[in-house]
Amino acid sequence: MKAAPKLWVILGRPVRLANALIAVQALRDFFPGGCHLLRDESQWWDRAHWQPYAKYFTAIHAFPRVKTCRGLVDLPRLYRDTAGRKSAVAKLPINPDSDVLLCLASVMSLANAAVSAHPKVYKILGISKSGYDGLTRHPDRMRFRFTTSGWLQNRVIEPLAGVERTINFKPRLNPGGDGVRLVRLQKEPSEIYHSVICMSNTGRELPGPQAGEGLIAARFPSMAELSELPAIETKSGQRHRVLFFGTPFLLIHNLAPDVYIENLNRCLEFLRRSYPNADLIYRPHPIETNEASQLRLQGFQIENDREAAELYFMRHFAAIDAVYSVSSTVSRTALNYGLNAYSLWRSFPFPETAAKFFERIMGEVPPEFDIRDLAQPPMVYQGSRTVEPGTRSFGDALRLVMEQRSAVVR
């Protein structure tokens, strides 16, 4: 008897759990055999409140993370771990004729083990436009070279373990510059994945014509797509929340700390004035040290649980009135999720180089998103936002891929 088709969703960290739930909701009719979740075992999952959402998956399969290589002595361990994880994923009852792998994680780790262990199964990659550009970036070998561990993995471990080979480069003139490393699969994404959903703020952005076939543009996933998902921790009569996400301004010196503190205190006063009937919450950045102690946080609750913002938004969605940061992409994420989100960097005297960087990472945003004048109250705007005609939601893009695949199979 022919087995019912199954969907296998691959996640690394839990920050993309909402994307996985959207996929399950959008595609469950295509997969009567159920929707399974493959995830890493890590501290990120240990500290996340993800268990209430486990019931939306047929089963959850956890696999140990593989630590990077630290030298020649570490090679045997790296090989055992890499080959062992591939072997464990290969034992999953994945049918290459009917099942589908959906990768929403980094393509380097668990996803690499899955696509290597099941080369014949149909594969879909969901990735941001900027992430796709990174996976197809070709380095100038005059400017870049392999890291030592990257060379050992590419030339020794990965061929022996039978997984897709990866490239890990760093600049020749900037050794140790983690922020500018180039990490990608040795192959192009189109050589491994049958379809790629390329997500962006606008839902219209695609790589150039050299990117190959099988690319579909979509908007970033939104909590509005999870209409069937209950609010886990929203209680009747609960006060609403206004969140401010901190920045490690003692480590990142876009401005002198004293100037940053002065302007940030003005912003905190702006929140106290604008939301007198809400609970004001300050959530420190995970690498903050004593930044909070240098701010005037009277009236704010400090929540230092280090839970990923995406999961926090899911748990408290109905109780969140607004999300603020100075220049963090967490504001951009909250905007995509359907929350009234704001950035405050335009009210700071940042230099032009920093301002251009913030504009680039935020992308296209509604005018209300940028707080320019602290004398004016913030505008509630999500209820009046309209979807750009002709663009697809993430769920619609997934359904389109499956319909195209079904048409080919027939």
Side-chain angles (χ1 to χ4, degrees):
M1 187 174 182
K2 189 175 180 179
K6 300 180 289 295
L7 177 67
W8 303 84
V9 184
I10 309 168
L11 289 185
R13 293 186 180 183
V15 295
R16 295 184 180 89
L17 183 59
N19 303 15
L21 293 170
I22 291 170
V24 169
Q25 182 175 284
L27 299 181
R28 61 189 173 196
D29 290 342
F30 291 91
F31 297 100
C35 300
H36 296 248
L37 177 66
L38 280 62
R39 69 170 183 88
D40 278 329
E41 292 178 346
S42 69
Q43 59 176 331
W44 304 102
W45 286 93
D46 291 341
R47 72 165 63 112
H49 298 278
W50 63 272
Q51 291 82 0
Y53 307 99
K55 63 184 179 182
Y56 293 93
F57 300 96
T58 305
I60 296 176
H61 313 269
F63 301 90
R65 289 178 61 85
V66 175
K67 296 180 180 179
T68 56
C69 178
R70 296 301 179 185
L72 290 173
V73 176
D74 199 27
L75 282 179
R77 189 277 310 165
L78 180 62
Y79 168 75
R80 289 193 302 270
D81 290 354
T82 303
R85 183 168 61 178
K86 179 192 173 186
S87 177
V89 175
K91 293 177 182 178
L92 294 172
I94 298 178
N95 187 333
D97 298 322
S98 59
D99 293 0
V100 169
L101 279 174
L102 171 60
C103 174
L104 301 176
S106 165
V107 298
M108 301 299 154
S109 51
L110 181 57
N112 192 0
V115 301
S116 301
H118 301 279
K120 295 182 180 180
V121 72
Y122 191 90
K123 307 174 191 69
I124 305 171
L125 174 63
I127 193 170
S128 67
K129 162 64 165 55
S130 60
Y132 186 91
D133 289 342
L135 289 183
T136 56
R137 182 183 172 195
H138 294 279
D140 179 355
R141 293 300 297 268
M142 296 295 292
R143 294 177 52 238
F144 287 86
R145 68 176 179 86
F146 266 111
T147 64
T148 301
S149 60
W151 188 93
L152 290 168
Q153 285 188 219
N154 180 272
R155 302 298 170 84
V156 180
I157 299 302
E158 289 164 347
L160 288 174
V163 298
E164 291 293 341
R165 296 169 73 174
T166 60
I167 291 174
N168 193 327
F169 283 140
K170 65 181 179 181
R172 293 183 184 276
L173 299 180
N174 185 19
D178 291 339
V180 289
R181 289 190 179 186
L182 190 155
V183 182
R184 54 161 290 185
L185 293 169
Q186 186 165 290
K187 291 181 179 178
E188 297 295 308
S190 58
E191 297 180 72
I192 299 173
Y193 293 92
H194 297 82
S195 295
V196 178
I197 297 175
C198 196
M199 299 175 286
S200 65
N201 297 334
T202 63
R204 299 188 302 269
E205 299 177 44
L206 279 175
Q210 73 282 2
E213 300 180 355
L215 279 117
I216 295 176
R219 301 187 302 275
F220 281 118
S222 167
M223 289 294 290
E225 297 183 67
L226 287 176
S227 56
E228 301 176 19
L229 187 70
I232 299 298
E233 293 194 3
T234 300
K235 302 174 183 177
S236 177
Q238 181 179 0
R239 279 170 60 90
H240 280 216
R241 304 174 179 215
V242 173
L243 311 176
F244 182 89
F245 285 82
T247 303
F249 56 82
L250 296 180
L251 176 65
I252 302 173
H253 288 181
N254 291 319
L255 284 176
D258 57 336
V259 177
Y260 197 101
I261 290 170
E262 178 185 353
N263 283 272
L264 184 50
N265 279 330
R266 292 173 52 241
C267 294
L268 297 174
E269 178 56 34
F270 167 75
L271 266 64
R272 280 189 285 264
R273 187 171 65 247
S274 301
Y275 302 96
N277 299 316
D279 289 334
L280 304 177
I281 296 171
Y282 181 92
R283 292 185 62 80
H285 190 279
I287 62 173
E288 281 188 42
T289 52
N290 64 337
E291 281 85 345
S293 66
Q294 303 194 34
L295 301 172
R296 293 198 295 270
L297 286 171
Q298 293 83 357
F300 281 78
Q301 305 171 33
I302 299 177
E303 293 183 345
N304 200 15
D305 52 49
R306 300 183 69 191
E307 182 180 18
E310 291 84 350
L311 287 172
Y312 188 96
F313 294 157
M314 287 176 62
R315 289 201 298 126
H316 302 288
F317 186 80
I320 297 175
D321 276 356
V323 176
Y324 285 83
S325 73
V326 174
S327 56
S328 172
T329 53
V330 72
S331 290
R332 174 74 250 187
T333 299
L335 169 66
N336 293 335
Y337 271 27
L339 294 164
N340 287 295
Y342 308 89
S343 71
L344 294 155
W345 67 267
R346 292 188 185 274
S347 65
F348 282 62
F350 284 114
E352 183 179 358
T353 53
K356 288 182 177 179
F357 174 75
F358 298 148
E359 284 184 337
R360 180 174 62 82
I361 64 171
M362 293 300 177
E364 281 191 41
V365 294
E368 300 90 348
F369 177 87
D370 289 316
I371 302 295
R372 300 169 183 267
D373 184 357
L374 297 180
Q376 300 296 321
M379 300 292 293
V380 175
Y381 61 88
Q382 282 286 8
S384 60
R385 287 187 73 199
T386 57
V387 175
E388 186 74 18
T391 63
R392 298 184 187 89
S393 68
F394 179 59
D396 287 341
L398 287 168
R399 283 187 285 267
L400 176 61
V401 169
M402 292 308 304
E403 290 165 2
Q404 291 176 345
R405 177 175 179 262
S406 298
V408 171
V409 171
R410 287 197 299 268

